Amino acid sequence: DSLKLLPALHPVNIKKSPQPFAGAKQRRHGYRVHLLWLLVLLWTVEGISQTWDDNWGETTTAVTGTSEHSLSQEDIVRISKDLDDSVGLDCKRYLNVALSVILGLVVFLTPLAFLILPHLLWADRLTACGTACEGLFISVAFKLLILLLAVWALFFRPPRAGLPRIFIFRALLATLVLLFVLSYWLFYGVRILDSQDEDYQGIVQYAVSLVDALLFIHYLAIVLLELRQLQPFFSLCVTRSTDGATQHYNLGQLSVQRAAVVILENYYKDFPVHNPAMLTASKSRAAKHLAGLKVYNVDGPGGNNAAAGIAQSQSRAMIAAAARRRDSSHNELYYEEAEHERRVRKRRARLVVAVEEAFTHIRCMQEEEQKKARGDVMDPREAAQAIFPSMARALQKYFRTTRQQHLHSMESIQQHLAFCITNNMTPKAFLESYLTTGPTLQYGKDRWLARQWTLISEASVTSGLKDGTVFLLKCIDFCLVVTTKKIPYIQLAEEFIDPKSHKFVLRLQSETSV
């Protein structure tokens, strides 16, 4: 019965034919096609049903236009673009390395090919290579070795960061080298391969000229990539958006994306670690002062006049009370900060005493261990685990007071304690990492490492820095706002001072006669 419905669902146009069995054959062919499509459809539905789990209805996200918690088409496009970008970064990095290796092999094998091809194609007609020609062989060998080391030192370095756009000068140099080698190959094919030049010394000199030109291009690369940016031209002010931490850096003529890389490299060593817990106090204080005022007009604008007058008078009283409370809020802030500083000093004193007692116990243990046998000596890791409980409570209270409990783990503290014991450091040296907020690199990578930074700039990221350029470096929790100022031109003038102009004569007038 199901097969009888197939022609109705997908009608097959049957043309009249003078043959008696032509229509029957076409109908049977149509049935076979529809049966095949039906089997494919059933197989697809069965495969999809196997991939669904039992609670698929509870975890499915519907893409609609009316649901408040649904995904829009723009969100899907943005998510897919982020996935493509995350996959494309690695592909682009490996593609750049592969292209650089291929170009390097072409450059280094070209002079050798210039010297080998004549011997392979017309060796019987080449002129003998004299002493001068053999000296050129040595010159080519040493120049290629120097060029190999120079290229390795300048270009084949581990990448410090992944840039969103290509490096203009490096791409320009690669294009220049490629065109240069192609032009040499073109001239070599036309003037030497086609004519089968018999002057082998001239061919060797041609290869030497190619190597010399490649060395000059490498010198140009050093000037453009390394020396050009050494002289500072701009002063960049970097401000963290959350707590306002600011640093200034002097940079040379760099593009926006390369300046962003330099700023991020200095950020991890110069800026204190970002502590979002320190920002919650000010937010809670502001919310506490602003939450006192909520006025509701239940009756609406058309309600009872007497009730409206009472509500208006109550709202005025509440506004006046809030104004008086706002005027006295600075006193609350003053006493709150003073109380916090008192608690921090108290916790710090207890921590210092606990650490000094623990280190004193360590010194006593070391003196006792020296009297024992060699095999019974305790290693620094075991010593750190032994004395850590005596200072753990004081450390925990100090971290809670200063809101640093999420920055230090018990394992990292024990490792630092073992390091201090190994190197015979004082308690003050051990506490310095916790009493003062250190740079970002001082803490573990899981505390500060952002997988990806986003560069936001109105100007093109490949354009150079200019006076007034502003761009942002954004991560998950905060962003760095970078403002560019040009270093002013300094004009020095010389002024000559006559040495005789600042001399004086001391005249003594005696009041008494001698």
Side-chain angles (χ1 to χ4, degrees), residues 11 18 43 82 96 140 171 248 296 304 308 330 360 393 396 453 511:
W43 176 77
D82 294 339
N96 293 334
V140 169
H248 293 82
Y296 298 96
N304 190 7
H330 64 279
T360 303
R393 185 173 179 82
Q396 186 178 12
W453 290 82
E511 298 180 356

Side-chain angles (χ1 to χ4, degrees), residues 47-100:
I48 294 175
S49 63
Q50 290 178 358
T51 59
W52 287 344
D53 53 358
D54 296 332
N55 57 349
W56 63 272
E58 300 176 0
T59 59
T60 302
T61 302
V63 182
T64 61
T66 58
S67 177
E68 184 179 356
H69 302 285
S70 62
L71 292 176
S72 63
Q73 295 293 336
E74 291 81 3
D75 297 334
I76 296 177
V77 172
R78 186 175 65 252
I79 293 172
S80 62
K81 183 178 181 298
D82 294 339
L83 292 175
D84 294 339
D85 293 340
S86 62
V87 175
L89 287 176
D90 295 336
C91 295
K92 185 171 66 174
R93 182 177 65 182
Y94 293 125
L95 180 62
N96 293 334
V97 174
L99 292 177
S100 301

Side-chain angles (χ1 to χ4, degrees), residues 273-278 399 403-409 447:
V273 64
H274 180 255
N275 192 357
M278 298 297 294
F399 288 158
R403 298 181 180 91
Q404 300 183 43
Q405 63 272 17
H406 66 285
L407 298 177
H408 304 281
S409 63
R447 310 292 178 185

